[in-house]
Amino acid sequence: MTRTVRSGIIIIPRNYTPNWDITVGGINVDNELLEISINRLVNEGTGNFTMTLLNPANLFKFSGMEELVVNADFGSASTVFFRGTVEEVKPGMQDTTTIKLSGRHVSGDLSDLHVTENFQSMELADMIRQLAINYATVPNVRISYAVTNVTNTNITDSISFDQTPFFEAIREICYRADFDFYIDNDRDFHFFKAGSIRNMTDAIGPTWFQSSDGLGDSIVEVKNRIIMHGTTPSGLPIISQVNDSNSQSLYGTREKYISDKRITTIDIADMIGNAFLLFNKNKIKIGTVNALGLPALLPGDKIYIEEHTAGI
């Protein structure tokens, strides 16, 4: 008789909650904090935050450019969970005894930069490194960035950018490599195979689970006919179309139109179209989970979730 062995994981709920320490401009605001919302993004750009503080008698005199530091862990709250810069300060919506701050992750200064490059036959990870050297260093930014966590893709490609927003250029490279990208709180670039990092510290079980809209199949983002439009160096139009007949028979014809000045030949058009088709022709499982107490969760992590009452 054949014996089958399968690996698995058992989530053991913690019986304690994370400790937090939050400062703005070096001033601790733990006691005045009413609410805070923090977003961290992968591939799509920088993160952001909003927070509301009690501000009796105009206790705080924030004016913008203060550093927000959120520490969180299960010990002395000495691990940086989020580092950002205050960009907007205004009174609370209901009265003047509160103050609302908002801003971006410390990597937000890269969102204001545009890229002009002509990468030819280059390892995709080296493109990331070159973007860091050419744009993510002083004097383009206040503090230079590092690339110690950029992993090679073993893929060589050619890409041109002409006044392209920085994170749009990053997204294009990630797309071609099937890699994820984010910038940590120490301004270090992380570039790694999508889905390759499994978070073994945090997990979402019944204790920390709050709510979910469920996990199910979605065809909303399916695209199975890709139409590319570009221009040759001499100004002649380029139009190319790629299809996936199997996807079309399953979900109907769903078109995506791509107009890109980087498409200068039919071969480039077909390459971009086929790459987009590969990652978008099938349905995906999608859902949202709200949970508590995940201080070790990082952008791009895979995390275990178990909540049978929500069907997960």
Side-chain angles (χ1 to χ4, degrees):
M1 180 172 135
T2 302
R3 170 182 277 176
T4 301
V5 178
R6 296 181 179 177
S7 60
I9 185 169
I10 299 174
I11 299 176
I12 301 175
R14 293 188 176 100
N15 57 3
Y16 47 89
T17 58
N19 297 310
W20 299 83
D21 181 78
I22 302 174
T23 61
V24 180
I27 301 172
N28 184 278
V29 297
D30 289 352
N31 293 330
E32 292 77 21
L33 181 68
L34 293 176
E35 61 179 358
I36 185 168
S37 174
I38 295 173
N39 292 315
R40 295 292 304 276
L41 302 178
V42 62
N43 300 348
E44 296 299 322
T46 186
N48 56 72
F49 70 91
T50 60
M51 62 190 304
T52 303
L53 304 173
L54 286 171
N55 191 34
N58 290 319
L59 173 66
F60 299 119
K61 306 295 184 182
F62 302 131
S63 59
M65 295 306 294
E66 292 87 0
E67 183 180 60
L68 166 71
V69 179
V70 179
N71 289 343
D73 54 42
F74 289 97
S76 59
S78 58
T79 304
V80 178
F81 176 75
F82 183 87
R83 194 189 304 273
T85 303
V86 176
E87 297 184 327
E88 187 175 80
V89 182
K90 58 185 180 182
M93 295 296 292
Q94 302 300 323
D95 54 58
T96 58
T97 62
T98 62
I99 187 173
K100 186 173 182 178
L101 310 179
S102 61
R104 295 182 293 184
H105 186 256
V106 289
S107 58
D109 49 5
L110 295 178
S111 298
D112 303 319
L113 300 179
H114 290 73
V115 171
T116 298
E117 296 288 345
N118 183 24
F119 297 129
Q120 295 296 317
S121 300
M122 182 181 290
E123 154 71 48
L124 291 174
D126 287 338
M127 295 183 191
I128 297 287
R129 297 183 181 103
Q130 197 63 47
L131 289 177
I133 293 171
N134 292 351
Y135 301 92
T137 52
V138 175
N140 298 309
V141 292
R142 289 182 298 142
I143 301 174
S144 294
Y145 289 70
V147 291
T148 54
N149 285 289
V150 173
T151 305
N152 284 343
T153 66
N154 297 318
I155 299 174
T156 299
D157 207 340
S158 298
I159 311 177
S160 295
F161 301 109
D162 184 11
Q163 288 299 304
T164 303
F166 185 87
F167 283 106
E168 185 177 317
I170 292 291
R171 187 168 61 248
E172 176 68 21
I173 297 171
C174 290
Y175 176 73
R176 299 196 184 196
D178 191 24
F179 267 46
D180 281 339
F181 175 91
Y182 77 93
I183 300 173
D184 68 24
N185 296 307
D186 296 317
R187 293 181 171 86
D188 193 5
F189 284 22
H190 291 245
F191 184 61
F192 52 94
K193 182 70 175 175
S196 65
I197 298 179
R198 181 175 294 177
N199 190 309
M200 300 302 292
T201 302
D202 278 336
I204 301 175
T207 302
W208 302 114
F209 180 87
Q210 282 195 301
S211 63
S212 172
D213 63 2
L215 182 66
D217 293 330
S218 172
I219 63 171
V220 172
E221 299 299 325
V222 168
K223 303 297 178 185
N224 46 40
R225 172 178 289 164
I226 317 302
I227 303 170
M228 280 72 59
H229 178 265
T231 308
T232 68
S234 60
L236 296 175
I238 295 174
I239 298 178
S240 177
Q241 177 177 295
V242 294
N243 294 272
D244 188 282
S245 58
N246 185 58
S247 176
Q248 290 172 358
S249 66
L250 289 172
Y251 313 119
T253 300
R254 296 168 174 264
E255 291 185 347
K256 171 68 175 179
Y257 178 80
I258 299 175
S259 179
D260 195 323
K261 55 190 170 185
R262 291 167 291 179
I263 297 176
T264 55
T265 68
I266 286 291
D267 287 343
I268 293 176
D270 289 345
M271 179 184 67
I272 293 175
N274 283 313
F276 190 92
L277 189 66
L278 178 64
F279 291 104
N280 293 277
K281 64 183 180 179
N282 296 316
K283 64 183 179 182
I284 60 174
K285 288 190 177 296
I286 190 169
T288 300
V289 172
N290 298 312
L292 299 171
L294 304 172
L297 185 63
L298 295 171
D301 280 0
K302 294 176 68 175
I303 187 170
Y304 287 100
I305 303 174
E306 181 183 347
E307 177 47 60
H308 298 302
T309 60
I312 300 174

